[in-house]
Amino acid sequence: MHAPLLVSNLCQRDVVTAQDTITVKDAAELMRKRHVGSVVITQGTLNKPVGILTDRDIAIIAVARDFDPITMPVAEVMSSQLHTIAATQPAITALKMMRRHGVRRLPVTGEFGELVGIISLDDLLNAYGAELTLFAQAMRREREVEQRVRV
């Protein structure tokens, strides 16, 4: 049996971050420039995650409610009830957390609560999709061997 997939092996290490004083407009521009769907909001020298702003937050909260994204700080729009996961946790734990909390992304933290990455549902889908491909290949190979042996 092989070791479980760990969050640290699947997460993206290049995380787009900003302070909570950045405006929604500036955060949206940052997301567009970096081609990402979220910005992790951090505080302090430890780069501790305190919130996350997603493209959905911008669309549903800031735009749909007719707020001014040019002057509104992300602190008023971001999800501040942040769910994080330790880098040392198994990937299946991340998937269970996403399902339980209804989120698609989890900031990944290190030993001292510092931000070290972000894991998304897409990251997990890619990893587990590869695992399922191995299952399918094993089944196909079994049939091929059986057909050769029994012919």
Side-chain angles (χ1 to χ4, degrees):
M1 187 162 94
H2 69 79
L5 291 171
L6 295 180
V7 168
S8 61
N9 296 342
L10 302 178
C11 70
Q12 303 299 313
R13 299 293 180 154
D14 184 24
V15 184
V16 178
T17 64
Q19 298 293 305
D20 63 358
T21 53
I22 191 173
T23 66
V24 172
K25 180 183 185 302
D26 289 340
E29 287 176 357
L30 183 60
M31 291 158 86
R32 181 183 53 79
K33 179 180 172 187
R34 297 286 303 273
H35 305 284
V36 296
S38 67
V39 175
V40 177
I41 309 304
T42 59
Q43 281 184 341
T45 57
L46 268 184
N47 207 27
K48 183 176 168 89
V50 294
I52 189 166
L53 179 74
T54 67
D55 47 8
R56 185 169 172 82
D57 292 331
I58 293 170
I60 304 263
I61 299 171
V63 176
R65 293 187 181 166
D66 203 26
F67 292 131
D68 182 6
I70 295 172
T71 59
M72 175 176 272
V74 295
E76 294 183 32
V77 181
M78 71 181 188
S79 301
S80 56
Q81 186 179 11
L82 187 64
H83 303 286
T84 63
I85 188 162
T88 55
Q89 290 294 308
I92 192 71
T93 302
L95 184 57
K96 289 176 182 177
M97 285 181 69
M98 288 176 187
R99 184 186 65 201
R100 183 174 345 124
H101 299 297
V103 297
R104 296 179 54 90
R105 302 168 185 92
L106 293 171
V108 178
T109 55
E111 182 179 355
F112 303 105
E114 76 280 11
L115 182 68
V116 297
I118 190 163
I119 190 161
S120 70
L121 199 52
D122 290 350
D123 298 325
L124 294 168
L125 186 57
N126 287 335
Y128 285 112
E131 296 273 324
L132 289 175
T133 298
L134 291 175
F135 279 112
Q137 290 170 344
M139 291 170 55
R140 187 172 37 255
R141 180 74 178 133
E142 176 191 29
R143 283 192 298 268
E144 290 169 358
V145 169
E146 183 176 317
Q147 287 173 348
R148 240 190 338 239
V149 170
R150 299 207 187 262
V151 174

